[in-house]
Amino acid sequence: MKIAIGSDHGGVSLKEELKAFISTLGHEVTDCGCHSRESVDYPLFARQVCDLVRTNAVERGILICGTGIGMSMAANKFPDIRAALCHEPFSAKMSRLHNDANILCLGERVIGSEIAKDIVAVWLSTPFEGGRHKRRIELFNTLGSIK
Ligand code: RB5
């Protein structure tokens, strides 16, 4: 599978570690930056990863900042992006089974890299269940017109 990964300065160390890990799982990783601990603005990196997902250049994306919160807020602004902030494997699994999450958000300052690898492994290997969950996701598209 093709995966895009991006971070701000608060997530760059975990990004580097996960990039190598994801490659060992046999996936192709596109790194959208950032590349140092110099302070940057996370929405710009969220946009790069979301653009690749939305144009089907990659199947899924992973975004990392200090907490994962800013990245998930930014990513969910984009149409057709379903970003899930997960700090344990159960939520990561459910975000695929029930929510068809196409972006996983993580906080480098919240979890260690070993739990992050467990989360990523389950998130990448879990399919979407479809059925009633597909109907619910399709309802997201109507929410913009609710006043
Ligand atoms: C950067 O200091 C930090 O605010 C950012 O990485 C992230 O945690 C925002 O949600």
Side-chain angles (χ1 to χ4, degrees), residues 4 11-12 19 33 35-36 42 51 53-54 60 68 77 83 86 89 94 102-103 109-110 126-128 136 142:
V12 67
K19 216 167 68 177
H35 300 291
S36 80
Y42 59 80
D51 282 350
V53 172
R54 295 182 65 219
R60 294 199 223 153
K77 293 282 183 196
C86 301
M94 296 311 291
N102 50 12
I103 300 267
R109 297 172 185 158
V110 181
T126 303
F128 178 45
R136 290 164 186 167
T142 68

Side-chain angles (χ1 to χ4, degrees), residues 8-10 42 65-67 69-70 109:
D8 73 353
H9 54 288
Y42 59 80
C65 61
T67 59
I69 296 170
R109 297 172 185 158

Side-chain angles (χ1 to χ4, degrees), residues 2 6-7 10 19-21 23 27 35 41 47 49 59-60 70 72 77 82 109 119 124 127 146:
K2 289 184 178 174
S7 76
K19 216 167 68 177
F21 175 68
S23 298
H27 302 290
H35 300 291
D41 297 332
R47 181 170 64 192
V49 169
E59 217 166 303
R60 294 199 223 153
S72 62
K77 293 282 183 196
R82 294 174 300 280
R109 297 172 185 158
I119 290 167
L124 290 177
I146 294 172

